[in-house]
Amino acid sequence: MTHKLLTALAALSLCAGSVDAKQWPATTAEVIAASAESDWRNPDPEQTLYLDINGGRVVIELAPEFAPAHVDNIRQLVRQGYFNALPVVRSQDNYVVQWGDPDGTRDLGKAQAQLAGEYARAAANLDGFEPLADGDVYAGEVGFSQGMPVARDTDQGQAWLTHCYGMLGAGRAEASDSGNGAELYVVIGHSPRHLDRNVTLVGRVLTGMELLSTLPRGTQALGFYAKPEQRTPISQVQVAADLAPDQRLPLQVMRTDTEAFAAFIASRRTRTESWFLQPTGHVSLCNIWVPTRINQPADSSD
Amino acid sequence: MTHKLLTALAALSLCAGSVDAKQWPATTAEVIAASAESDWRNPDPEQTLYLDINGGRVVIELAPEFAPAHVDNIRQLVRQGYFNALPVVRSQDNYVVQWGDPDGTRDLGKAQAQLAGEYARAAANLDGFEPLADGDVYAGEVGFSQGMPVARDTDQGQAWLTHCYGMLGAGRAEASDSGNGAELYVVIGHSPRHLDRNVTLVGRVLTGMELLSTLPRGTQALGFYAKPEQRTPISQVQVAADLAPDQRLPLQVMRTDTEAFAAFIASRRTRTESWFLQPTGHVSLCNIWVPTRINQPADSSD
């Protein structure tokens, strides 16, 4: 809670949790500093969206392994320019912001109008998944797969994305197949995990959350704005692959199937920074984020 | 995620969880509508703060049962006008906003400059505490006491407030006794439960969170603002008891030691609104809030 957190980076070299193949340091900042180039990946530009709003850019990574039909549909909509100049219609405190066509008149073009919900996928072949040590209130197992927070139920044979801060979902009406990706929301508060498997999650915000989380809250039920002029317009949404390579953001994401990421989780779980009086010794899924960096390690000081 | 949530209030009358003495309805909106006057309380004006910022008012309830010395000190500071015209110095996305004296020169007057941390209290006589059915990742037991989210460890004989959304804490530097309530923070993101028992929590925001959660994020480390002019000033902070009774907000809070609140938790745990495909069947501490109302039941539609 003070500047001192940043400077309290004593050179500790203890191991924690499942990390034992190498001597990793103990704080999140140290783990990131000690990571190798091979611990990072460049997100696939075809699975990356740039959403421009209020003069800034939100970078989103899609999750085709979990919601392939929605991801395809969203990319189709983006490439048609569907979201350009549409507004954020809803901002509910401690819950979600949501954008889409408030009038419902914009042409969906070649995109599907109805998609079956993609609420869960097969648990088999869940890439790189390692269950967290401390369990979860909502699911049998939780962890990360391909950069996304995931729950798994081996009895049911299902795995699904979880509603952590920054997750992107496709709003739907009452019918299970009434979502199509034309109305999207992002979690801006404490994780509403009761939405898991009730709405199709389609990806995650990598950077730029503050552009969404600080939007004025709507005063109507569910955070809808009372007047159209209160809505914030989205300038444009683009697929990163449609920009020239030198126009894309040089953003990198830590691989979640690496020893470095296991060390990062361990550093979140057992806090060795000198400021901490209690090292905690536990960590929940949504209190772990996946580090990103632009040419240099990102701030990881909380 | 749609307007339909609000209208999907079918007249269900099933009981859930520990609620069985009376037939309570099944949705949060219905539980609130079915509550009696005796299920609500008027917060003690002596334990209530009004923080005015950006033309709006944040209402805070203090927690003297958990942090008596800090609460006394904060009230002393408020009554001296200590916080008036001080700014929010820090806004870190998905974490906290924090206010205080950026120069450290303002006179503390009769307030204490150093207080021992009040990180936990005795678990005995924890008023109205009922452990939640689904457990917790961070503590042996969690639930509510006197309107506050609480963890309990009966082996250690300790109970403590938890860092849920909207909780108010007293920042400290490296030393355990370096917090005094002159620098305060509020949780504005996913609950940073690793701070539990590391910082003294002193209360909870009852209403007005959107005035804090939408403040522009600071761009420096830990969300500190780069330039003084980026800080938002607090107009004033007052103890509600110091206002004439007709100048106080007629705010009521649901009692957490009632059957109504148990029914409210059950309604959050098992979602029977027709929109839900999966009733969830689990709920974590920080996904339960304590309902408030001003002359009429508050929105409880998410």
Side-chain angles (χ1 to χ4, degrees), chain B residues 82-101:
Chain B
Y82 178 84
F83 294 104
N84 300 346
L86 281 187
V88 173
V89 293
R90 172 186 183 196
S91 170
Q92 182 171 0
D93 199 61
N94 193 24
Y95 204 42
V96 298
V97 295
Q98 188 167 323
W99 59 90
D101 178 6

Side-chain angles (χ1 to χ4, degrees), chain A residues 251-282:
Chain A
L251 188 69
Q252 293 194 303
V253 183
M254 187 177 272
R255 294 182 192 275
T256 51
D257 58 354
T258 58
E259 195 182 285
F261 188 66
F264 180 82
I265 292 174
S267 75
R268 295 284 297 168
R269 184 169 187 244
T270 303
R271 307 300 297 241
T272 58
E273 295 94 337
S274 61
W275 181 86
F276 280 85
L277 304 168
Q278 299 268 356
T280 304
H282 304 277

Side-chain angles (χ1 to χ4, degrees), chain A residues 1-6 8 90 92-96 98 119 134-139 156 158 165 171-176 183 185 188-199 209-210 213-217 220-224 268 271 273-280 282-284 286-287 299 301-302, chain B residues 1-6 8 90 92-96 98 119 134-139 156 158 165 171-176 183 185 188-199 209-210 213-217 220-224 268 271 273-280 282-284 286-287 299 301-302:
Chain A
M1 311 309 295
T2 77
H3 296 281
K4 295 187 183 174
L5 248 174
L6 263 189
R90 173 186 183 195
Q92 183 171 1
D93 199 60
N94 193 24
Y95 204 44
V96 299
Q98 188 167 324
Y119 303 119
D134 301 304
D136 182 65
V137 167
Y138 290 90
Q156 295 180 42
Q158 286 189 340
Y165 189 86
R172 67 165 172 85
E174 194 87 1
S176 174
E183 187 139 358
Y185 66 90
I188 60 161
H190 184 82
S191 55
R193 294 281 308 279
H194 55 283
L195 298 178
D196 291 0
R197 287 191 286 180
N198 278 301
V199 203
M209 268 305 294
E210 68 282 3
S213 61
T214 60
L215 290 172
R217 307 302 182 230
Q220 303 296 97
L222 306 179
F224 281 92
R268 295 284 297 168
R271 307 300 297 241
E273 295 94 337
S274 61
W275 181 86
F276 280 85
L277 304 168
Q278 299 268 356
T280 304
H282 304 277
V283 68
S284 65
C286 296
N287 265 323
D299 179 12
S301 49
D302 69 346
Chain B
M1 309 312 295
T2 76
H3 295 279
K4 295 187 183 176
L5 248 173
L6 263 190
R90 172 186 183 196
Q92 182 171 0
D93 199 61
N94 193 24
Y95 204 42
V96 298
Q98 188 167 323
Y119 304 119
D134 301 304
D136 182 65
V137 167
Y138 290 89
Q156 296 180 42
Q158 285 189 341
Y165 190 85
R172 67 165 172 84
E174 194 86 359
S176 174
E183 187 138 358
Y185 66 90
I188 60 160
H190 185 83
S191 55
R193 294 282 308 279
H194 55 284
L195 298 178
D196 291 0
R197 289 191 285 179
N198 278 301
V199 204
M209 268 304 295
E210 69 281 3
S213 61
T214 60
L215 289 171
R217 306 302 182 229
Q220 302 297 97
L222 305 180
F224 282 93
R268 294 285 297 168
R271 307 301 297 241
E273 295 95 337
S274 61
W275 181 84
F276 280 85
L277 305 168
Q278 298 268 356
T280 304
H282 303 277
V283 69
S284 65
C286 295
N287 265 323
D299 180 11
S301 49
D302 69 346

